[in-house]
Amino acid sequence: MANLSNLRELRLDNVNILSGRSTWSVILADNTPQLEILTLCQCGISGSIHSSFSRLRSLKMIDLRNNWELTGKVPEFFAELSSLSILDISGNSFEGQFPTKIFQLKSLRTLDLSMNRDLSINLPEFLDGNNLETLSLTWTNLPYHTPSSFANLKSLKSLAISTTGTSKELLPSLIGELPSLKELEMWGPEWSLEKPAVLSWVGNLKQLTDLTLGWYDFSQSTPSWIGNLMSLATLEMLDCKLSTTIPHQIGNLANLTSLRFEDCDLPGQKIPSWISNFTKLRNLQMNSCGFSGPIPSTIGNLTQLEYLTISYNNQLNGKTIYHDCFSYL
């Protein structure tokens, strides 16, 4: 790096960087003072971010995803990077209190803090004019209190949040007032499924194009309200319990291009024939859900389909099978 003093953009994703602890951040600070874009995703970097890193005042994008040995506190000086637009530190081992002032950066558009289980987050009072478009807070220590000013995130298009620890009473009014929201990802408590009777309010978010739900128990309250989301292009239900049939109302979502049921508890249920209604479907995944009976021949009518897996449903066709994937051409 020593002769790269004019470097503006550095992308080394998936390159194994063998530097001792914080050495990588010191080297960048000493040798690339004009750096604007830095992506070191899944590089095996470790240690904490050295204070000298604060000299990189021109940074617009910092992507340090999936470096599990990246530890210590998120630096306070990130809040002084006036041009910072993208900060992605998901999948690391940061700890302590996340600097609240980072939320207030006017230039910030994307903030992903997910999968930092020891990182504590106190949401600030969001002011009018906040420009955040993407916010992911899943698998962090998010407090129960959600400030009413959350509704000021008028530019927010994508939100990923755990409902465990957040105010379930406030969520409908706060998220329901986000006019730009298109993508919503919500997770219940890990290892114990939440019975989400209160999630029916999601059915009022008619503008949603992408919905992901994980770790919820719908066995007592069928999520028929999903059928109200006529703009959905992507629907994912992961590790959910659906001991009743899959809501037939989902079959009315004519704009779906991607449908995924993964590790959902559907013992003995048949794959619904209304799957053939999704004439725009390009991606269909229905894995490890306990389906039985025949594979509907109507799947063959999905002429736009590019990717299909129906894996680990060992009672399909009425007998135990061990094939990983079925595909129709």
Side-chain angles (χ1 to χ4, degrees):
M1 305 298 295
N3 295 320
L4 300 178
S5 59
N6 291 319
L7 195 67
R8 300 295 200 280
E9 183 171 339
L10 177 62
R11 299 178 186 267
L12 291 176
D13 297 340
N14 296 297
V15 175
N16 191 15
I17 298 176
L18 300 175
S19 64
R21 306 299 291 171
S22 300
T23 306
W24 64 274
S25 54
V26 176
I27 290 174
L28 289 174
D30 289 344
N31 296 286
T32 58
Q34 301 186 64
L35 199 62
E36 297 178 357
I37 295 176
L38 173 65
T39 72
L40 299 175
C41 174
Q42 202 165 321
C43 289
I45 56 178
S46 61
S48 58
I49 299 176
H50 194 270
S51 58
S52 62
F53 195 82
S54 63
R55 298 202 299 269
L56 300 177
R57 310 297 292 185
S58 300
L59 280 170
K60 298 178 181 178
M61 175 180 178
I62 301 174
D63 183 352
L64 301 175
R65 286 172 294 158
N66 299 336
N67 291 285
W68 299 106
E69 294 185 18
L70 189 54
T71 59
K73 294 184 177 181
V74 178
E76 294 274 354
F77 59 73
F78 278 179
E80 300 170 6
L81 300 176
S82 59
S83 299
L84 191 62
S85 176
I86 298 173
L87 177 60
D88 190 338
I89 56 171
S90 60
N92 298 318
S93 297
F94 286 110
E95 58 191 13
Q97 186 68 48
F98 179 77
T100 304
K101 288 184 178 180
I102 294 177
F103 285 104
Q104 310 289 8
L105 280 170
K106 292 183 178 180
S107 58
L108 197 62
R109 299 294 188 274
T110 297
L111 180 60
D112 193 340
L113 309 178
S114 60
M115 293 184 287
N116 285 278
R117 296 179 183 273
D118 295 322
L119 184 63
S120 298
I121 299 170
N122 286 324
L123 295 176
E125 291 297 321
F126 292 102
L127 304 177
D128 282 331
N130 190 290
N131 293 310
L132 263 181
E133 297 178 358
T134 299
L135 178 61
S136 182
L137 303 172
T138 52
W139 296 293
T140 60
N141 287 328
L142 190 67
Y144 182 82
H145 174 66
T146 305
S148 58
S149 62
F150 193 83
N152 287 333
L153 296 177
K154 302 298 185 184
S155 298
L156 200 65
K157 298 177 181 178
S158 179
L159 173 64
I161 193 169
S162 300
T163 54
T164 307
T166 55
S167 174
K168 298 175 181 61
E169 293 76 16
L170 281 175
L171 282 177
S173 59
L174 297 182
I175 296 179
E177 294 180 13
L178 300 177
S180 299
L181 193 66
K182 299 294 185 183
E183 302 174 5
L184 179 60
E185 179 180 336
M186 299 180 68
W187 290 83
E190 190 173 5
W191 311 126
S192 59
L193 298 184
E194 181 174 325
K195 295 183 178 180
V198 293
L199 285 190
S200 57
W201 58 268
V202 177
N204 297 323
L205 303 177
K206 304 294 180 63
Q207 77 278 15
L208 286 183
T209 60
D210 296 77
L211 176 63
T212 298
L213 299 171
W215 286 332
Y216 290 111
D217 182 355
F218 293 106
S219 60
Q220 303 300 318
S221 55
T222 303
S224 57
W225 46 264
I226 294 178
N228 298 332
L229 304 175
M230 300 302 294
S231 296
L232 277 188
T234 297
L235 174 61
E236 296 185 339
M237 300 188 73
L238 313 175
D239 288 279
C240 291
K241 187 174 183 179
L242 286 159
S243 58
T244 57
T245 58
I246 298 176
H248 65 85
Q249 293 87 348
I250 293 177
N252 298 326
L253 303 178
N255 291 313
L256 278 184
T257 59
S258 180
L259 177 62
R260 181 183 175 198
F261 289 93
E262 195 83 35
D263 293 309
C264 289
D265 189 4
L266 290 158
Q269 293 191 39
K270 294 181 179 181
I271 297 174
S273 58
W274 46 253
I275 289 291
S276 61
N277 295 351
F278 305 133
T279 56
K280 298 180 181 179
L281 206 64
R282 296 195 299 268
N283 175 42
L284 176 59
Q285 300 180 57
M286 308 181 80
N287 304 318
S288 301
C289 293
F291 285 117
S292 64
I295 302 172
S297 60
T298 52
I299 288 180
N301 298 332
L302 302 177
T303 57
Q304 303 299 313
L305 207 60
E306 299 173 2
Y307 186 81
L308 169 63
T309 64
I310 310 178
S311 309
Y312 303 107
N313 292 283
N314 292 340
Q315 294 299 316
L316 280 172
N317 289 334
K319 59 183 179 181
T320 301
I321 53 178
Y322 297 99
H323 299 89
D324 284 347
C325 181
F326 295 90
S327 61
Y328 287 78
L329 301 177

